[in-house]
């Protein structure tokens, strides 16, 4: 019909095109996942916000550990090439087994180490400025930190955050507290927080207990640059969560 065939009023088409161009389209699942991976660290155990632009340092750590393992293996191989310790007459005659020297045993043990090396950190991110500022997460059995006769399920099982013995588990003896230790809840778990300076570093430390392990996040920056990183690091420590599993 003539009405439908009529051209649109002047300017209408260009306005429609401009509106279409201005629409913000929802990102694809893949794009959304990539964006989240950049801004957040999420594993089966912990989750936290990563400061914008900071880089994953665990890759470098794993490469260094793999190199250490390779060197240990090479040293053992060199030891074998250089020959064993001086043999006794009984060992030479075959009437007694050859006993490896302690050094050879150590190298052999190192060479047998699994090739899948593990970082001491659950996660570690470094500032792009390469000034040593970092966010690290590590875990350790509570029994290795303080003798307790039961499974530590909450930080309260260790004592109050301000108790000298408890604070000494997380704050170096030469550190200066910036604020009094505090306790608050993060996703249903009690978190102990310590803020201190030590050896030219400003540190925000958060400790959370779960099933006998203590999970610690340390957000650190050079004291001289603390003002540059404070907001980002405080936001990251507030976001730290130790996730629940079917075991607790």
């Amino acid at each position: 019909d003539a009405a439908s065939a009529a051209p649109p009023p002047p300017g209408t088409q260009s306005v429609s095109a401009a509106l279409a161009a201005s629409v913000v389209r929802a990102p694809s699942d893949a794009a959304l996942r990539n964006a989240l991976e950049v801004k957040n660290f999420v594993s089966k155990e912990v989750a936290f916000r990563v400061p914008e632009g900071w880089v994953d340092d665990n890759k470098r750590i794993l490469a260094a550990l793999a190199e250490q393992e390779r060197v240990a293996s090479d040293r053992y191989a060199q030891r074998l090439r250089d020959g064993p310790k001086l043999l006794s007459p009984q060992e030479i005659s075959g009437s007694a087994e050859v006993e490896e020297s302690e050094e050879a045993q150590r190298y052999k043990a190192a060479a047998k180490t699994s090739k899948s090396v593990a970082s001491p950190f659950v996660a570690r991110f470094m500032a792009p400025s390469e000034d040593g500022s970092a966010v690290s997460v590590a875990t350790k059995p509570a029994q290795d930190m303080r003798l307790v006769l039961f499974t530590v399920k909450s930080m309260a099982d260790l004592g109050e955050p301000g108790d000298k013995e408890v604070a000494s588990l997380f704050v170096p003896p030469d550190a200066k507290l910036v604020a009094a230790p505090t306790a608050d809840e993060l996703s249903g778990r009690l978190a102990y927080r310590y803020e201190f300076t030590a050896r030219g570093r400003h540190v925000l430390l958060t400790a959370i207990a779960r099933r006998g392990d203590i999970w610690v996040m340390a957000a650190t920056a050079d004291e001289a640059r603390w003002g540059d990183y404070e907001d980002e690091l405080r936001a990251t420590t507030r976001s730290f969560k130790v996730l629940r599993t079917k075991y607790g």
Side-chain angles (χ1 to χ4, degrees):
D1 102 298
S4 61
T12 303
Q13 191 169 11
S14 59
V15 170
S16 300
L19 285 173
S22 69
V23 172
V24 178
R25 288 177 171 75
S28 66
D29 287 347
L32 191 57
R33 278 198 302 275
N34 289 337
L36 286 175
E37 285 170 3
V38 168
K39 295 181 180 178
N40 299 277
F41 178 91
V42 181
S43 71
K44 292 181 180 178
E45 306 286 355
V46 297
F48 60 90
R49 173 187 179 277
V50 176
E52 187 173 352
W54 287 39
V55 294
D56 185 353
D57 194 46
N58 251 351
K59 293 176 183 177
R60 181 193 62 79
I61 293 171
L62 288 170
L65 289 171
E67 177 63 11
Q68 288 177 14
E69 186 176 83
R70 184 194 66 75
V71 168
S73 178
D74 286 352
R75 284 176 178 166
Y76 173 61
Q78 183 65 44
R79 176 74 185 179
L80 294 182
R81 287 194 294 272
D82 292 346
K85 65 182 180 64
L86 292 175
L87 303 181
S88 68
Q90 292 80 11
E91 289 172 331
I92 292 174
S93 67
S95 60
E97 280 192 35
V98 175
E99 293 185 13
E100 290 182 314
S101 67
E102 289 184 9
E103 187 183 13
Q105 289 173 9
R106 283 197 299 272
Y107 285 142
K108 193 171 186 178
K112 285 184 176 178
T113 301
S114 168
K115 296 301 179 185
S116 55
V117 294
S119 168
F121 299 105
V122 175
R124 182 173 169 84
F125 289 84
M126 299 289 292
S129 57
E130 298 184 1
D131 58 4
S133 299
V135 172
S136 307
V137 177
T139 181
K140 195 171 186 179
Q143 287 280 3
D144 290 355
M145 301 177 71
R146 187 176 188 183
L147 180 61
V148 287
L149 303 177
F150 48 83
T151 299
V152 173
K153 296 182 179 179
S154 166
M155 293 299 294
D157 293 337
L158 295 177
E160 295 296 320
D163 288 352
K164 189 173 180 180
E165 288 186 4
V166 176
S168 68
L169 300 176
F170 307 104
V171 181
D174 60 342
K176 179 181 178 182
L177 285 174
V178 174
T182 60
D184 56 51
E185 245 188 36
L186 286 177
S187 299
R189 297 188 190 277
L190 189 62
Y192 283 5
R193 297 185 187 278
Y194 300 90
E195 182 173 357
F196 56 88
T197 56
R199 302 160 203 169
R201 314 292 297 170
H202 197 119
V203 182
L204 297 175
L205 188 144
T206 304
I208 300 175
R210 188 189 74 178
R211 296 200 322 270
D213 291 328
I214 307 296
W215 296 76
V216 177
M217 168 181 276
T220 71
D222 188 280
E223 254 190 292
R225 300 208 57 189
W226 175 245
D228 298 334
Y229 295 122
E230 180 178 2
D231 291 344
E232 286 274 17
L233 294 183
R234 290 195 187 280
T236 294
T237 56
R238 286 195 299 269
S239 73
F240 181 46
K241 296 175 180 63
V242 176
L243 306 179
R244 294 190 175 277
T245 67
K246 62 180 179 181
Y247 301 108

